[in-house]
Amino acid sequence: MNEIRKFYLKLLRSDELNSSFGGPVFAFMLVATSLFLAATWIRSDIGLLEFGASPAVAQHEDFAAFYRGGEMAAQGKAVEVYDYASFAAGLSPENQTLLFLNPPHALLFYELLASVDYPVARGLVLAANVLCLFLSVYVIRLQAGFWPYVFVALSAGTLYSFQLLQLAPITTFLLLFALLFSRQRPVLSGLALCVLTLKPQYGILVPVYLMAMRDWRAFGVAACGTVVLVAASVGVYGLSVWQAFFASMSGGVHSIQFQISHNMMITIGQSMGKIGAGTGLKMIVQVVCIVLSGLAVWSLARHWRREAAAALSLLVMCIVAPSFLFYDWLMYAMALLLMLKLSPRWPLSLQAIAGLLWIAPVVHDVLNVYDAGAAFFFSSFIPVIALAVLAHAMVTFSREGGPVDLFRTSSGGARSQPT
């Protein structure tokens, strides 16, 4: 115990930790949570290196759904991926609750994965996740030594992503790269965004951001790339697969996903459902919030410089995404790291609520051990915490300006680019 205490005190005396992570409260919350999750990685068997031979015998992991979808597409059964009975027939007992929710052009990528054996495909996705996880931290260029990499690697989003073998590290990198480099690297950014349409819930406000930034080349590449992918999916699988996809939104797998309240699903619509709202009201509130958030993103992109607009817009996109789970928490982590680059010292109140947002999945899981009802109640108010962080950050950065000029010098002036 004394050795652990000495090691912890040594960590707290790190120059980068003390000068670049908001302040003592936020830094403490990150260090403490990282140590807790490191112990979880060591003591828990999350099955990361267990490679089943096929989706039919795979352990509980979401990757089985992606591979199963590609497998069915290769067998000429693309339309049936949105039929639960047909889809679940090829899954292991541990994965019977999985649904295929991606749009049909995702099958073009998943069929490629399914062209190799399941263990090989799983290994490729695992390697891509690791690469994208650290690339996301790298492109932010936060001058804080190795700490950003440590905190992200030992964050709740990373644990959930690898525990379930989701694609969150990849989607996070694609979105973050596009928000930061849509002017400087328009073709790559546009291609990143058209691939991101495989998980369209994360990018619904990206067109607003690109139009407000006047990044027309990135917008054009993303739009054309998406049209090509959709057209290719129609050419390969037929128009009927898109008809099945849209039909699944009313009475199919998508409507099931929207109606059920999930502890791990952190959206405005889910929060409304958890406090008793019906499906109709949930939908209305979600849509209204998306429209209002679009106005917020437009204002941020027009009046704030690139990295400030990207950080705060990413927060907004996380808050209003119609589907957002604990494994997506890497997006919140990247938004908070970008905020640290804008201003490395925060007021105590911002440190506290931003720290709570970073560790919210951990708080939920600890509560769930002792009181499932309390955990369910807490999960319904997590979007409020995120909204508080957004509002506080906007006010703080507006008043203090931070170490860089956060605002455009004129309405038509050039925006700063990431270095």
Side-chain angles (χ1 to χ4, degrees):
M1 185 62 69
N2 286 334
E3 292 300 320
I4 295 176
R5 180 174 178 274
K6 290 178 182 178
F7 175 70
Y8 181 68
L9 291 175
K10 184 178 179 180
L11 288 180
L12 295 182
R13 286 195 291 269
S14 168
D15 291 339
E16 293 92 351
L17 190 58
N18 286 310
S19 62
S20 304
F21 279 91
V25 173
F26 188 66
F28 171 79
M29 295 175 82
L30 265 61
V31 170
T33 305
S34 296
L35 291 173
F36 176 81
L37 291 177
T40 302
W41 276 96
I42 294 170
R43 299 183 62 181
S44 301
D45 178 19
I46 66 172
L48 186 62
L49 300 179
E50 293 180 10
F51 290 79
S54 72
V57 296
Q59 63 174 349
H60 178 55
E61 57 187 26
D62 290 1
F63 176 69
F66 308 139
Y67 191 93
R68 171 63 177 159
E71 189 177 58
M72 293 180 70
Q75 295 168 354
K77 302 177 181 178
V79 175
E80 297 179 33
V81 299
Y82 300 108
D83 176 72
Y84 172 73
S86 299
F87 182 72
L91 296 174
S92 64
E94 293 85 355
N95 289 318
Q96 287 297 304
T97 58
L98 293 179
L99 306 172
F100 190 85
L101 302 170
N102 300 138
H105 59 285
L107 293 171
L108 297 169
F109 295 87
Y110 297 156
E111 187 175 348
L112 283 176
L113 279 175
S115 66
V116 299
D117 292 338
Y118 187 80
V120 176
R122 189 180 187 275
L124 290 173
V125 170
L126 186 59
N129 272 346
V130 173
L131 177 63
C132 288
L133 182 72
F134 292 110
L135 280 176
S136 295
V137 180
Y138 175 76
V139 297
I140 292 175
R141 307 286 179 85
L142 182 61
Q143 302 301 312
F146 62 87
W147 286 109
Y149 296 93
V150 172
F151 290 143
V152 168
L154 296 175
S155 68
T158 299
L159 178 64
Y160 271 104
S161 293
F162 285 90
Q163 185 177 47
L164 298 174
L165 200 54
Q166 257 289 343
L167 305 179
I170 298 173
T171 54
T172 297
F173 172 69
L174 294 174
L175 180 56
L176 179 65
F177 182 89
L179 295 181
L180 290 175
F181 296 102
S182 57
R183 175 68 60 84
Q184 190 175 349
R185 299 284 186 269
V187 175
L188 289 177
S189 297
L191 292 175
L193 290 173
C194 73
V195 174
L196 186 65
T197 60
L198 274 61
K199 295 266 193 173
Q201 65 268 31
Y202 307 125
I204 53 176
L205 295 180
V206 170
V208 176
Y209 178 89
L210 294 179
M211 288 188 289
M213 282 285 186
R214 303 296 193 260
D215 289 340
W216 300 115
R217 290 183 63 194
F219 184 94
V221 171
C224 291
T226 302
V227 169
V228 169
L229 287 176
V230 171
S233 68
V234 173
V236 174
Y237 306 121
L239 186 61
S240 57
V241 71
W242 279 95
Q243 294 172 335
F245 171 70
F246 288 117
S248 72
M249 295 184 180
S250 57
V253 291
H254 280 89
S255 62
I256 293 172
Q257 178 80 350
F258 185 78
Q259 292 173 23
I260 297 175
S261 294
H262 303 274
N263 277 34
M264 286 177 56
M265 179 79 80
I266 309 300
T267 68
I268 292 172
Q270 280 282 315
S271 292
M272 295 296 298
K274 289 171 185 176
I275 60 176
T279 302
L281 181 58
K282 286 165 58 178
M283 181 69 73
I284 292 171
V285 172
Q286 184 78 53
V287 171
V288 169
C289 288
I290 289 173
V291 173
L292 294 177
S293 296
L295 298 175
V297 168
W298 180 276
S299 178
L300 289 167
R302 292 303 301 153
H303 300 297
W304 294 61
R305 289 202 181 263
R306 172 73 60 171
E307 289 174 335
L312 299 177
S313 295
L314 185 53
L315 274 178
V316 174
M317 293 173 190
C318 294
I319 294 168
V320 300
S323 176
F324 198 88
L325 289 96
F326 282 160
Y327 52 71
D328 297 312
W329 231 250
L330 287 169
M331 292 188 182
Y332 274 129
M334 298 309 160
L336 293 172
L337 289 183
L338 270 175
M339 285 169 51
L340 286 170
K341 186 174 183 180
L342 301 174
S343 178
R345 303 294 293 181
W346 297 344
L348 283 174
S349 52
L350 180 56
Q351 292 181 52
I353 56 175
L356 183 56
L357 179 61
W358 183 287
I359 70 173
V362 179
V363 174
H364 166 273
D365 289 353
V366 172
L367 285 174
N368 197 48
V369 172
Y370 299 100
D371 189 333
F376 188 79
F377 181 80
F378 174 75
S379 72
S380 68
F381 283 93
I382 293 178
V384 177
I385 299 171
L387 283 168
V389 172
L390 174 66
H392 200 327
M394 291 181 68
V395 172
T396 299
F397 296 157
S398 297
R399 288 176 178 173
E400 299 179 359
V404 295
D405 180 10
L406 299 178
F407 296 93
R408 296 173 57 193
T409 54
S410 66
S411 61
R415 293 173 179 80
S416 62
Q417 297 298 332
T419 57

